[in-house]
Amino acid sequence: METKTIIFWVLIAAYIIPGVIFGFKKLSGHPDSEAYFKRWGYPLWFMHLLGFTEVACSILIVFSQTRIYAIGIFATLVIGAFYTHVKYKDPKKDVMKPVFVGMLLAVIFSFTFWI
């Protein structure tokens, strides 16, 4: 197996493992997630929808046939997360999380066409 293929799958794993974890936290109504969504004024059904979307896209990004769709949906979620953190003046570390996640997603996008 080529080095770039190994790097690609490590990046995919680094993206989907947190995606599944945080998606399930939202799906299960974790108290921390609920507190954030209430503070931001978003309805709890939206939190559950985002959780489902994160878990579903974490699965879809594994398959080459659906990866580009998952990347597009994830990019939309990252932009929304960044907007929310900036709008509600969250701490800088919270604002930067979607930036780093977006950068990782951009690298995965690039690798998708490179290998």
Side-chain angles (χ1 to χ4, degrees), residues 12-41:
I12 292 281
Y15 199 87
I16 65 172
I17 291 170
V20 169
I21 291 170
F22 290 115
F24 273 120
K25 282 179 73 173
K26 290 179 185 86
L27 269 175
S28 67
H30 191 274
D32 292 342
S33 298
E34 282 191 14
Y36 276 117
F37 277 76
K38 286 178 182 176
R39 186 172 78 76
W40 296 326

PDB file of all heavy atoms in Angstrom, residues 12-41:
ATOM      1  N   ILE A  12      -8.984  10.119   7.198  1.00  0.00           N
ATOM      2  CA  ILE A  12     -10.398   9.757   7.228  1.00  0.00           C
ATOM      3  C   ILE A  12     -10.782   9.309   8.638  1.00  0.00           C
ATOM      4  O   ILE A  12     -11.797   9.743   9.193  1.00  0.00           O
ATOM      5  CB  ILE A  12     -10.720   8.642   6.201  1.00  0.00           C
ATOM      6  CG1 ILE A  12     -10.586   9.161   4.775  1.00  0.00           C
ATOM      7  CG2 ILE A  12     -12.101   8.048   6.439  1.00  0.00           C
ATOM      8  CD1 ILE A  12     -11.734   9.967   4.262  1.00  0.00           C
ATOM      9  N   ALA A  13      -9.972   8.442   9.229  1.00  0.00           N
ATOM     10  CA  ALA A  13     -10.254   7.957  10.588  1.00  0.00           C
ATOM     11  C   ALA A  13     -10.240   9.111  11.595  1.00  0.00           C
ATOM     12  O   ALA A  13     -11.102   9.178  12.482  1.00  0.00           O
ATOM     13  CB  ALA A  13      -9.245   6.889  10.993  1.00  0.00           C
ATOM     14  N   ALA A  14      -9.277  10.022  11.434  1.00  0.00           N
ATOM     15  CA  ALA A  14      -9.185  11.175  12.334  1.00  0.00           C
ATOM     16  C   ALA A  14     -10.401  12.085  12.198  1.00  0.00           C
ATOM     17  O   ALA A  14     -10.732  12.825  13.121  1.00  0.00           O
ATOM     18  CB  ALA A  14      -7.906  11.959  12.054  1.00  0.00           C
ATOM     19  N   TYR A  15     -11.057  12.016  11.067  1.00  0.00           N
ATOM     20  CA  TYR A  15     -12.243  12.843  10.853  1.00  0.00           C
ATOM     21  C   TYR A  15     -13.507  12.142  11.327  1.00  0.00           C
ATOM     22  O   TYR A  15     -14.361  12.754  11.976  1.00  0.00           O
ATOM     23  CB  TYR A  15     -12.378  13.213   9.373  1.00  0.00           C
ATOM     24  CG  TYR A  15     -13.285  14.392   9.160  1.00  0.00           C
ATOM     25  CD1 TYR A  15     -12.783  15.676   9.227  1.00  0.00           C
ATOM     26  CD2 TYR A  15     -14.641  14.222   8.943  1.00  0.00           C
ATOM     27  CE1 TYR A  15     -13.607  16.768   9.058  1.00  0.00           C
ATOM     28  CE2 TYR A  15     -15.470  15.315   8.778  1.00  0.00           C
ATOM     29  CZ  TYR A  15     -14.950  16.580   8.838  1.00  0.00           C
ATOM     30  OH  TYR A  15     -15.782  17.657   8.696  1.00  0.00           O
ATOM     31  N   ILE A  16     -13.642  10.860  10.999  1.00  0.00           N
ATOM     32  CA  ILE A  16     -14.926  10.200  11.281  1.00  0.00           C
ATOM     33  C   ILE A  16     -15.079   9.764  12.737  1.00  0.00           C
ATOM     34  O   ILE A  16     -16.205   9.745  13.238  1.00  0.00           O
ATOM     35  CB  ILE A  16     -15.197   9.010  10.343  1.00  0.00           C
ATOM     36  CG1 ILE A  16     -14.200   7.890  10.531  1.00  0.00           C
ATOM     37  CG2 ILE A  16     -15.253   9.460   8.909  1.00  0.00           C
ATOM     38  CD1 ILE A  16     -14.549   6.624   9.765  1.00  0.00           C
ATOM     39  N   ILE A  17     -14.010   9.446  13.423  1.00  0.00           N
ATOM     40  CA  ILE A  17     -14.156   9.021  14.820  1.00  0.00           C
ATOM     41  C   ILE A  17     -14.757  10.138  15.671  1.00  0.00           C
ATOM     42  O   ILE A  17     -15.769   9.921  16.344  1.00  0.00           O
ATOM     43  CB  ILE A  17     -12.824   8.474  15.381  1.00  0.00           C
ATOM     44  CG1 ILE A  17     -12.482   7.147  14.693  1.00  0.00           C
ATOM     45  CG2 ILE A  17     -12.900   8.296  16.896  1.00  0.00           C
ATOM     46  CD1 ILE A  17     -11.088   6.626  14.969  1.00  0.00           C
ATOM     47  N   PRO A  18     -14.203  11.353  15.640  1.00  0.00           N
ATOM     48  CA  PRO A  18     -14.875  12.429  16.386  1.00  0.00           C
ATOM     49  C   PRO A  18     -16.267  12.744  15.832  1.00  0.00           C
ATOM     50  O   PRO A  18     -17.179  13.092  16.585  1.00  0.00           O
ATOM     51  CB  PRO A  18     -13.941  13.634  16.219  1.00  0.00           C
ATOM     52  CG  PRO A  18     -12.639  13.071  15.817  1.00  0.00           C
ATOM     53  CD  PRO A  18     -12.931  11.810  15.078  1.00  0.00           C
ATOM     54  N   GLY A  19     -16.433  12.620  14.503  1.00  0.00           N
ATOM     55  CA  GLY A  19     -17.749  12.882  13.909  1.00  0.00           C
ATOM     56  C   GLY A  19     -18.819  11.961  14.461  1.00  0.00           C
ATOM     57  O   GLY A  19     -19.931  12.393  14.781  1.00  0.00           O
ATOM     58  N   VAL A  20     -18.477  10.690  14.606  1.00  0.00           N
ATOM     59  CA  VAL A  20     -19.428   9.726  15.170  1.00  0.00           C
ATOM     60  C   VAL A  20     -19.665  10.009  16.656  1.00  0.00           C
ATOM     61  O   VAL A  20     -20.808  10.001  17.124  1.00  0.00           O
ATOM     62  CB  VAL A  20     -18.923   8.282  14.947  1.00  0.00           C
ATOM     63  CG1 VAL A  20     -19.734   7.282  15.746  1.00  0.00           C
ATOM     64  CG2 VAL A  20     -18.965   7.928  13.469  1.00  0.00           C
ATOM     65  N   ILE A  21     -18.602  10.287  17.384  1.00  0.00           N
ATOM     66  CA  ILE A  21     -18.734  10.547  18.824  1.00  0.00           C
ATOM     67  C   ILE A  21     -19.615  11.769  19.074  1.00  0.00           C
ATOM     68  O   ILE A  21     -20.577  11.715  19.845  1.00  0.00           O
ATOM     69  CB  ILE A  21     -17.347  10.715  19.476  1.00  0.00           C
ATOM     70  CG1 ILE A  21     -16.607   9.379  19.478  1.00  0.00           C
ATOM     71  CG2 ILE A  21     -17.474  11.268  20.899  1.00  0.00           C
ATOM     72  CD1 ILE A  21     -15.146   9.474  19.864  1.00  0.00           C
ATOM     73  N   PHE A  22     -19.292  12.892  18.414  1.00  0.00           N
ATOM     74  CA  PHE A  22     -20.072  14.108  18.647  1.00  0.00           C
ATOM     75  C   PHE A  22     -21.471  14.002  18.055  1.00  0.00           C
ATOM     76  O   PHE A  22     -22.417  14.575  18.580  1.00  0.00           O
ATOM     77  CB  PHE A  22     -19.329  15.333  18.112  1.00  0.00           C
ATOM     78  CG  PHE A  22     -18.116  15.672  18.930  1.00  0.00           C
ATOM     79  CD1 PHE A  22     -16.844  15.579  18.387  1.00  0.00           C
ATOM     80  CD2 PHE A  22     -18.237  16.068  20.250  1.00  0.00           C
ATOM     81  CE1 PHE A  22     -15.720  15.866  19.147  1.00  0.00           C
ATOM     82  CE2 PHE A  22     -17.125  16.364  21.015  1.00  0.00           C
ATOM     83  CZ  PHE A  22     -15.864  16.263  20.466  1.00  0.00           C
ATOM     84  N   GLY A  23     -21.606  13.254  16.963  1.00  0.00           N
ATOM     85  CA  GLY A  23     -22.925  13.022  16.387  1.00  0.00           C
ATOM     86  C   GLY A  23     -23.817  12.249  17.346  1.00  0.00           C
ATOM     87  O   GLY A  23     -24.981  12.603  17.558  1.00  0.00           O
ATOM     88  N   PHE A  24     -23.269  11.194  17.952  1.00  0.00           N
ATOM     89  CA  PHE A  24     -24.056  10.417  18.919  1.00  0.00           C
ATOM     90  C   PHE A  24     -24.367  11.223  20.173  1.00  0.00           C
ATOM     91  O   PHE A  24     -25.421  11.048  20.782  1.00  0.00           O
ATOM     92  CB  PHE A  24     -23.350   9.111  19.278  1.00  0.00           C
ATOM     93  CG  PHE A  24     -23.660   7.984  18.334  1.00  0.00           C
ATOM     94  CD1 PHE A  24     -22.651   7.371  17.623  1.00  0.00           C
ATOM     95  CD2 PHE A  24     -24.965   7.552  18.140  1.00  0.00           C
ATOM     96  CE1 PHE A  24     -22.931   6.331  16.743  1.00  0.00           C
ATOM     97  CE2 PHE A  24     -25.259   6.526  17.265  1.00  0.00           C
ATOM     98  CZ  PHE A  24     -24.240   5.906  16.564  1.00  0.00           C
ATOM     99  N   LYS A  25     -23.447  12.116  20.570  1.00  0.00           N
ATOM    100  CA  LYS A  25     -23.746  12.988  21.715  1.00  0.00           C
ATOM    101  C   LYS A  25     -24.972  13.857  21.428  1.00  0.00           C
ATOM    102  O   LYS A  25     -25.825  14.034  22.295  1.00  0.00           O
ATOM    103  CB  LYS A  25     -22.542  13.869  22.059  1.00  0.00           C
ATOM    104  CG  LYS A  25     -21.456  13.159  22.835  1.00  0.00           C
ATOM    105  CD  LYS A  25     -20.286  14.065  23.119  1.00  0.00           C
ATOM    106  CE  LYS A  25     -20.630  15.086  24.178  1.00  0.00           C
ATOM    107  NZ  LYS A  25     -19.467  15.871  24.603  1.00  0.00           N
ATOM    108  N   LYS A  26     -25.048  14.356  20.225  1.00  0.00           N
ATOM    109  CA  LYS A  26     -26.210  15.175  19.854  1.00  0.00           C
ATOM    110  C   LYS A  26     -27.462  14.312  19.722  1.00  0.00           C
ATOM    111  O   LYS A  26     -28.538  14.706  20.161  1.00  0.00           O
ATOM    112  CB  LYS A  26     -25.933  15.924  18.552  1.00  0.00           C
ATOM    113  CG  LYS A  26     -24.902  17.019  18.669  1.00  0.00           C
ATOM    114  CD  LYS A  26     -24.679  17.682  17.322  1.00  0.00           C
ATOM    115  CE  LYS A  26     -23.573  18.705  17.377  1.00  0.00           C
ATOM    116  NZ  LYS A  26     -22.250  18.112  17.170  1.00  0.00           N
ATOM    117  N   LEU A  27     -27.323  13.161  19.106  1.00  0.00           N
ATOM    118  CA  LEU A  27     -28.463  12.258  18.933  1.00  0.00           C
ATOM    119  C   LEU A  27     -29.038  11.805  20.263  1.00  0.00           C
ATOM    120  O   LEU A  27     -30.258  11.692  20.421  1.00  0.00           O
ATOM    121  CB  LEU A  27     -28.050  11.022  18.127  1.00  0.00           C
ATOM    122  CG  LEU A  27     -28.216  11.081  16.625  1.00  0.00           C
ATOM    123  CD1 LEU A  27     -27.637   9.823  15.992  1.00  0.00           C
ATOM    124  CD2 LEU A  27     -29.660  11.253  16.236  1.00  0.00           C
ATOM    125  N   SER A  28     -28.175  11.537  21.222  1.00  0.00           N
ATOM    126  CA  SER A  28     -28.624  11.008  22.509  1.00  0.00           C
ATOM    127  C   SER A  28     -29.091  12.101  23.465  1.00  0.00           C
ATOM    128  O   SER A  28     -29.583  11.795  24.549  1.00  0.00           O
ATOM    129  CB  SER A  28     -27.507  10.197  23.163  1.00  0.00           C
ATOM    130  OG  SER A  28     -26.433  11.035  23.519  1.00  0.00           O
ATOM    131  N   GLY A  29     -28.944  13.353  23.075  1.00  0.00           N
ATOM    132  CA  GLY A  29     -29.371  14.451  23.936  1.00  0.00           C
ATOM    133  C   GLY A  29     -28.457  14.653  25.131  1.00  0.00           C
ATOM    134  O   GLY A  29     -28.915  14.943  26.232  1.00  0.00           O
ATOM    135  N   HIS A  30     -27.162  14.522  24.906  1.00  0.00           N
ATOM    136  CA  HIS A  30     -26.182  14.728  25.973  1.00  0.00           C
ATOM    137  C   HIS A  30     -26.405  16.105  26.609  1.00  0.00           C
ATOM    138  O   HIS A  30     -26.631  17.096  25.898  1.00  0.00           O
ATOM    139  CB  HIS A  30     -24.766  14.626  25.397  1.00  0.00           C
ATOM    140  CG  HIS A  30     -23.710  14.561  26.423  1.00  0.00           C
ATOM    141  ND1 HIS A  30     -23.163  15.682  26.983  1.00  0.00           N
ATOM    142  CD2 HIS A  30     -23.094  13.497  27.012  1.00  0.00           C
ATOM    143  CE1 HIS A  30     -22.240  15.328  27.867  1.00  0.00           C
ATOM    144  NE2 HIS A  30     -22.181  14.002  27.896  1.00  0.00           N
ATOM    145  N   PRO A  31     -26.349  16.184  27.951  1.00  0.00           N
ATOM    146  CA  PRO A  31     -26.622  17.472  28.628  1.00  0.00           C
ATOM    147  C   PRO A  31     -25.752  18.635  28.150  1.00  0.00           C
ATOM    148  O   PRO A  31     -26.234  19.766  28.043  1.00  0.00           O
ATOM    149  CB  PRO A  31     -26.350  17.157  30.101  1.00  0.00           C
ATOM    150  CG  PRO A  31     -26.525  15.687  30.226  1.00  0.00           C
ATOM    151  CD  PRO A  31     -26.125  15.106  28.897  1.00  0.00           C
ATOM    152  N   ASP A  32     -24.481  18.368  27.846  1.00  0.00           N
ATOM    153  CA  ASP A  32     -23.610  19.450  27.356  1.00  0.00           C
ATOM    154  C   ASP A  32     -24.089  19.971  26.004  1.00  0.00           C
ATOM    155  O   ASP A  32     -24.134  21.185  25.772  1.00  0.00           O
ATOM    156  CB  ASP A  32     -22.162  18.970  27.226  1.00  0.00           C
ATOM    157  CG  ASP A  32     -21.508  18.686  28.568  1.00  0.00           C
ATOM    158  OD1 ASP A  32     -22.029  19.159  29.592  1.00  0.00           O
ATOM    159  OD2 ASP A  32     -20.477  17.988  28.586  1.00  0.00           O
ATOM    160  N   SER A  33     -24.452  19.045  25.120  1.00  0.00           N
ATOM    161  CA  SER A  33     -24.949  19.450  23.805  1.00  0.00           C
ATOM    162  C   SER A  33     -26.246  20.233  23.941  1.00  0.00           C
ATOM    163  O   SER A  33     -26.434  21.270  23.289  1.00  0.00           O
ATOM    164  CB  SER A  33     -25.172  18.220  22.920  1.00  0.00           C
ATOM    165  OG  SER A  33     -23.963  17.543  22.701  1.00  0.00           O
ATOM    166  N   GLU A  34     -27.146  19.746  24.784  1.00  0.00           N
ATOM    167  CA  GLU A  34     -28.416  20.453  24.994  1.00  0.00           C
ATOM    168  C   GLU A  34     -28.182  21.859  25.526  1.00  0.00           C
ATOM    169  O   GLU A  34     -28.835  22.803  25.099  1.00  0.00           O
ATOM    170  CB  GLU A  34     -29.312  19.666  25.951  1.00  0.00           C
ATOM    171  CG  GLU A  34     -30.010  18.509  25.312  1.00  0.00           C
ATOM    172  CD  GLU A  34     -31.080  17.907  26.210  1.00  0.00           C
ATOM    173  OE1 GLU A  34     -31.458  18.547  27.225  1.00  0.00           O
ATOM    174  OE2 GLU A  34     -31.533  16.804  25.880  1.00  0.00           O
ATOM    175  N   ALA A  35     -27.246  21.987  26.458  1.00  0.00           N
ATOM    176  CA  ALA A  35     -26.962  23.306  27.033  1.00  0.00           C
ATOM    177  C   ALA A  35     -26.472  24.279  25.957  1.00  0.00           C
ATOM    178  O   ALA A  35     -26.903  25.435  25.912  1.00  0.00           O
ATOM    179  CB  ALA A  35     -25.926  23.174  28.155  1.00  0.00           C
ATOM    180  N   TYR A  36     -25.571  23.804  25.081  1.00  0.00           N
ATOM    181  CA  TYR A  36     -25.079  24.666  24.008  1.00  0.00           C
ATOM    182  C   TYR A  36     -26.223  25.093  23.088  1.00  0.00           C
ATOM    183  O   TYR A  36     -26.361  26.275  22.762  1.00  0.00           O
ATOM    184  CB  TYR A  36     -24.006  23.956  23.172  1.00  0.00           C
ATOM    185  CG  TYR A  36     -22.622  24.031  23.756  1.00  0.00           C
ATOM    186  CD1 TYR A  36     -21.954  22.873  24.153  1.00  0.00           C
ATOM    187  CD2 TYR A  36     -21.958  25.241  23.883  1.00  0.00           C
ATOM    188  CE1 TYR A  36     -20.677  22.929  24.672  1.00  0.00           C
ATOM    189  CE2 TYR A  36     -20.683  25.312  24.396  1.00  0.00           C
ATOM    190  CZ  TYR A  36     -20.050  24.151  24.795  1.00  0.00           C
ATOM    191  OH  TYR A  36     -18.784  24.220  25.308  1.00  0.00           O
ATOM    192  N   PHE A  37     -27.018  24.153  22.647  1.00  0.00           N
ATOM    193  CA  PHE A  37     -28.078  24.467  21.696  1.00  0.00           C
ATOM    194  C   PHE A  37     -29.129  25.385  22.308  1.00  0.00           C
ATOM    195  O   PHE A  37     -29.660  26.266  21.631  1.00  0.00           O
ATOM    196  CB  PHE A  37     -28.698  23.182  21.118  1.00  0.00           C
ATOM    197  CG  PHE A  37     -27.913  22.625  19.969  1.00  0.00           C
ATOM    198  CD1 PHE A  37     -26.722  21.938  20.190  1.00  0.00           C
ATOM    199  CD2 PHE A  37     -28.322  22.813  18.664  1.00  0.00           C
ATOM    200  CE1 PHE A  37     -25.979  21.440  19.137  1.00  0.00           C
ATOM    201  CE2 PHE A  37     -27.583  22.322  17.602  1.00  0.00           C
ATOM    202  CZ  PHE A  37     -26.404  21.641  17.844  1.00  0.00           C
ATOM    203  N   LYS A  38     -29.426  25.196  23.589  1.00  0.00           N
ATOM    204  CA  LYS A  38     -30.368  26.100  24.267  1.00  0.00           C
ATOM    205  C   LYS A  38     -29.772  27.505  24.369  1.00  0.00           C
ATOM    206  O   LYS A  38     -30.470  28.496  24.161  1.00  0.00           O
ATOM    207  CB  LYS A  38     -30.719  25.558  25.643  1.00  0.00           C
ATOM    208  CG  LYS A  38     -31.655  24.370  25.587  1.00  0.00           C
ATOM    209  CD  LYS A  38     -31.954  23.829  26.980  1.00  0.00           C
ATOM    210  CE  LYS A  38     -32.856  22.616  26.888  1.00  0.00           C
ATOM    211  NZ  LYS A  38     -33.087  21.999  28.199  1.00  0.00           N
ATOM    212  N   ARG A  39     -28.481  27.582  24.697  1.00  0.00           N
ATOM    213  CA  ARG A  39     -27.828  28.888  24.817  1.00  0.00           C
ATOM    214  C   ARG A  39     -27.832  29.631  23.484  1.00  0.00           C
ATOM    215  O   ARG A  39     -27.995  30.841  23.422  1.00  0.00           O
ATOM    216  CB  ARG A  39     -26.391  28.724  25.314  1.00  0.00           C
ATOM    217  CG  ARG A  39     -25.694  30.055  25.606  1.00  0.00           C
ATOM    218  CD  ARG A  39     -24.356  29.843  26.284  1.00  0.00           C
ATOM    219  NE  ARG A  39     -23.303  29.444  25.389  1.00  0.00           N
ATOM    220  CZ  ARG A  39     -22.666  30.264  24.549  1.00  0.00           C
ATOM    221  NH1 ARG A  39     -23.018  31.519  24.466  1.00  0.00           N
ATOM    222  NH2 ARG A  39     -21.703  29.818  23.785  1.00  0.00           N
ATOM    223  N   TRP A  40     -27.647  28.879  22.405  1.00  0.00           N
ATOM    224  CA  TRP A  40     -27.629  29.482  21.079  1.00  0.00           C
ATOM    225  C   TRP A  40     -29.027  29.769  20.551  1.00  0.00           C
ATOM    226  O   TRP A  40     -29.173  30.436  19.526  1.00  0.00           O
ATOM    227  CB  TRP A  40     -26.905  28.582  20.084  1.00  0.00           C
ATOM    228  CG  TRP A  40     -25.448  28.370  20.373  1.00  0.00           C
ATOM    229  CD1 TRP A  40     -24.574  29.267  20.917  1.00  0.00           C
ATOM    230  CD2 TRP A  40     -24.699  27.180  20.135  1.00  0.00           C
ATOM    231  NE1 TRP A  40     -23.332  28.704  21.023  1.00  0.00           N
ATOM    232  CE2 TRP A  40     -23.375  27.434  20.545  1.00  0.00           C
ATOM    233  CE3 TRP A  40     -25.013  25.938  19.602  1.00  0.00           C
ATOM    234  CZ2 TRP A  40     -22.367  26.486  20.447  1.00  0.00           C
ATOM    235  CZ3 TRP A  40     -24.002  24.983  19.500  1.00  0.00           C
ATOM    236  CH2 TRP A  40     -22.700  25.262  19.922  1.00  0.00           C
ATOM    237  N   GLY A  41     -30.045  29.222  21.207  1.00  0.00           N
ATOM    238  CA  GLY A  41     -31.418  29.457  20.762  1.00  0.00           C
ATOM    239  C   GLY A  41     -31.878  28.510  19.662  1.00  0.00           C
ATOM    240  O   GLY A  41     -32.895  28.771  19.014  1.00  0.00           O
TER     241      GLY A  41
END
